[in-house]
């Protein structure tokens, strides 16, 4: 049987081979202009694209939603609800790349006309400089380059439960707004319960939108920690008890909010016995105070010499202990590609040639081989001595 099967295979292969030879012989020497597979790949993964601002909406006193469309009028690349985009923002002589979670839904990026993508940016939280700049200066008609659909913070049916409990605070509501709109559109099949913590009702970002997207599959529970008279919703902070109250027998937990929220949420989820495989934290950028994560406090204000090798160029720039190497490079006007700024995506991968760094333990997304061969993610590395790095040439 085996011999027969083998001969059948050989016979089949030789027939295919003849057919392929004939195809080669009859082929035109001129390269085919039609490239359907390449066209799909380019449409779905176009890299950086040219975007134009088409709408700016003030959604709270401190938050604006910025809408972008593609400059060439085409649809935007597909993305998962919950992921983020980057935009390159020119600041003085520098071009700074910043990540922002997409608050619009994936289906809105694939509309036949005026397909769009939106981010909602709150003032002076996170990397305040750029957030304030966006709030103050972005206007209709402005053009930027950006990359759409990065990150791992999305529903994956093979991994996640069909009921998601979203634990959110501040402007961390944006990925859940995107998911909620996609669910109501019928293109994301999960149940979503959002617990959204704020101090006062005035601090609730996107409230009108959230109220409009409540449905049989999307529940929004506002939780106010401030003493607001007349408030009839949940009060206090998001606790283990509250999370349990709104959980299904099998839920996945997605957490996105300000940095101080993460540790209490981790503890609360452990308290209710949520399995680790059901818990997902959105990356939150660079820690505000790296000494809280083990960086030596006595070095935090020291300035080190950072030698930067780019091709045949070498520059020596100052690098302050408490700031990541990415910040030192940007401060010196040296361009380095960034995406997540949280150690996850690898866009800022850099070779350490000499000297020492502290790697943020909460943002160490390097592969094992990179660790062995002295590569680091510059957004998650902090100098502890004079050092020399080699960065890619743009
Ligand atoms: S920007 Fe993503 S790892 Fe540094």
């Amino acid at each position: 049987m085996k011999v027969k099967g083998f001969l059948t295979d050989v016979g089949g292969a030789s027939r295919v081979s003849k057919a392929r030879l004939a195809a080669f012989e009859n082929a035109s020497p001129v390269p085919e202009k039609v490239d359907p597979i390449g066209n799909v790949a380019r449409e779905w993964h176009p890299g950086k694209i040219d975007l134009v601002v088409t709408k700016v909406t003030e959604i709270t006193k401190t938050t604006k939603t910025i809408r972008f469309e593609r400059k060439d009028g085409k649809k935007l690349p597909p993305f998962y609800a919950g992921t983020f985009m980057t935009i390159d923002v020119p600041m003085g002589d520098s071009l700074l790349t910043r990540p922002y979670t997409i608050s619009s839904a994936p289906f809105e990026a694939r509309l036949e006309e005026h397909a769009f993508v939106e981010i909602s940016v709150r003032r002076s939280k996170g990397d305040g400089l750029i957030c304030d700049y966006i709030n103050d200066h972005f206007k209709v008609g402005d053009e930027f380059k950006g990359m759409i659909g990065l990150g791992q913070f999305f529903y994956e049916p093979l991994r996640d439960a069909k009921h998601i409990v979203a634990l959110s605070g501040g402007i961390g509501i944006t990925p859940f707004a995107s998911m909620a709109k996609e669910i109501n559109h019928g293109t994301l099949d999960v149940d979503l319960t959002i617990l959204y913590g704020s101090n006062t009702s005035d601090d609730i970002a996107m409230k009108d939108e959230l109220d409009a997207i409540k449905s049989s599959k999307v529940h929004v529970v506002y939780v106010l920690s401030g003493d607001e008279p007349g408030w009839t919703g949940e009060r206090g902070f998001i606790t283990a008890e509250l999370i349990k109250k709104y959980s299904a027998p099998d839920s996945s937990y997605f957490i996105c909010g300000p940095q101080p929220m993460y540790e209490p949420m981790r503890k609360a989820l452990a308290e209710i016995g949520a399995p680790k495989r059901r818990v997902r934290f959105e990356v939150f950028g660079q820690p505000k105070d790296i000494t809280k994560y083990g960086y030596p406090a006595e070095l935090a204000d020291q300035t080190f010499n950072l030698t930067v090798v780019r091709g045949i160029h070498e520059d020596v720039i100052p690098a302050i202990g408490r700031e990541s190497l990415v910040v030192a490079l940007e401060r010196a006007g040296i361009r380095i590609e960034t995406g997540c700024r949280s150690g996850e995506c690898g866009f800022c991968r850099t070779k350490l040639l000499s000297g020492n760094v502290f790697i943020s333990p909460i943002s160490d997304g390097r592969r094992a081989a990179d660790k062995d061969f002295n590569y680091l993610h510059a957004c998650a590395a902090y100098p502890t001595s004079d050092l020399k790095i080699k960065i890619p040439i743009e």
Side-chain angles (χ1 to χ4, degrees):
M1 284 296 283
K2 274 186 184 163
V3 172
K4 197 175 166 196
F6 172 74
L7 290 175
T8 310
D9 281 352
V10 170
S14 63
R15 280 197 299 282
V16 171
S17 173
K18 272 186 199 157
R20 292 188 73 186
L21 278 174
F24 285 141
E25 272 160 26
N26 296 331
S28 161
V30 181
E32 273 279 359
K33 286 208 175 110
V34 183
D35 177 15
I37 295 173
N39 287 344
V40 171
R42 276 185 287 277
E43 186 182 343
W44 284 48
H45 306 286
K48 276 197 180 165
I49 50 178
D50 291 308
L51 300 166
V52 58
V53 176
T54 55
K55 194 174 175 188
V56 177
T57 314
E58 187 170 287
I59 56 170
T60 70
K61 281 182 205 138
T62 55
T63 307
K64 281 185 179 165
T65 292
I66 316 289
R67 176 176 293 189
F68 300 93
E69 293 180 27
R70 241 174 128 141
K71 196 178 162 195
D72 60 13
K74 291 183 183 170
K75 292 179 188 179
L76 289 143
F79 62 90
Y80 289 114
T83 55
F84 67 89
M85 64 181 283
T86 62
I87 40 172
D88 291 352
V89 185
M91 297 278 290
D93 291 339
S94 303
L95 188 63
L96 305 182
T97 304
R98 287 292 181 275
Y100 292 100
T101 305
I102 300 167
S103 53
S104 56
F107 79 89
E108 292 169 314
R110 306 295 293 165
L111 297 172
E112 289 304 327
E113 284 181 22
H114 295 292
F116 66 87
V117 70
E118 289 179 338
I119 58 173
S120 299
V121 182
R122 180 170 275 186
R123 283 178 172 282
S124 295
K125 296 267 170 90
D127 65 347
L129 177 71
I130 308 278
C131 293
D132 288 358
Y133 183 85
I134 290 174
N135 268 276
D136 290 338
H137 297 286
F138 273 35
K139 59 182 187 316
V140 171
D142 286 349
E143 295 179 11
F144 300 93
K145 281 196 184 300
M147 208 182 287
I148 311 280
L150 303 166
Q152 304 297 322
F153 196 68
F154 55 84
Y155 169 72
E156 162 53 63
L158 293 176
R159 178 190 61 202
D160 301 316
K162 285 283 257 187
H163 177 244
I164 293 175
V165 179
L167 307 177
S168 173
I171 200 63
I173 190 65
T174 47
F176 306 121
S178 176
M179 288 180 195
K181 285 179 240 180
E182 195 71 359
I183 291 168
N184 285 348
H185 184 250
T187 32
L188 178 58
D189 183 20
V190 288
D191 290 299
L192 177 66
T193 301
I194 303 173
L195 301 187
Y196 184 12
S198 307
N199 186 23
T200 68
S201 52
D202 282 348
D203 297 325
I204 299 174
M206 313 184 80
K207 185 162 189 313
D208 292 346
E209 277 189 68
L210 291 170
D211 287 343
I213 53 183
K214 286 181 187 173
S215 69
S216 60
K217 290 178 82 65
V218 177
H219 308 277
V220 186
V221 180
Y222 302 113
V223 186
L224 290 196
S225 57
D227 184 19
E228 190 159 306
W231 177 254
T232 53
E234 297 285 0
R235 283 182 180 275
F237 292 98
I238 300 175
T239 57
E241 197 183 13
L242 201 64
I243 296 171
K244 203 167 180 185
K245 178 175 168 186
Y246 289 99
S247 294
D250 185 18
S251 296
S252 275
Y253 300 91
F254 281 48
I255 300 94
C256 184
Q259 285 180 25
M261 180 180 169
Y262 281 53
E263 212 33 53
M265 291 303 98
R266 211 182 292 277
K267 283 190 185 141
L269 289 167
E271 209 177 311
I272 65 164
K276 277 193 178 151
R277 69 194 161 85
R278 293 291 195 221
V279 179
R280 306 190 57 71
F281 288 88
E282 172 60 313
V283 292
F284 53 66
Q286 302 181 49
K288 284 196 181 64
D289 181 2
I290 191 62
T291 62
K292 286 198 176 139
Y293 299 96
Y295 184 89
E298 64 278 13
L299 300 183
D301 292 321
Q302 279 196 34
T303 301
F304 300 99
N305 287 324
L306 170 59
T307 306
V308 185
V309 180
R310 284 177 293 168
I312 56 169
H313 293 284
E314 252 186 54
D315 300 287
V316 181
I317 62 169
I320 303 170
R322 72 186 126 74
E323 292 182 343
S324 75
L325 300 184
V326 153
V327 174
L329 292 165
E330 288 175 339
R331 206 184 281 289
I334 296 176
R335 172 98 177 123
I336 180 166
E337 196 61 65
T338 61
C340 66
R341 299 178 80 86
S342 304
E344 187 185 75
C345 71
F347 281 20
C348 64
R349 184 171 171 270
T350 299
K351 173 106 174 155
L352 178 66
L353 300 177
S354 65
N356 298 308
V357 290
F358 172 83
I359 304 288
S360 167
I362 53 164
S363 318
D364 190 2
R366 292 174 300 164
R367 293 174 302 177
D370 277 357
K371 291 180 189 175
D372 290 346
F373 289 97
N374 262 356
Y375 281 92
L376 48 83
H377 293 170
C379 67
Y382 298 76
T384 54
S385 71
D386 290 344
L387 70 165
K388 189 172 188 177
I389 60 172
K390 184 177 180 186
I391 65 171
I393 309 172
E394 287 247 309

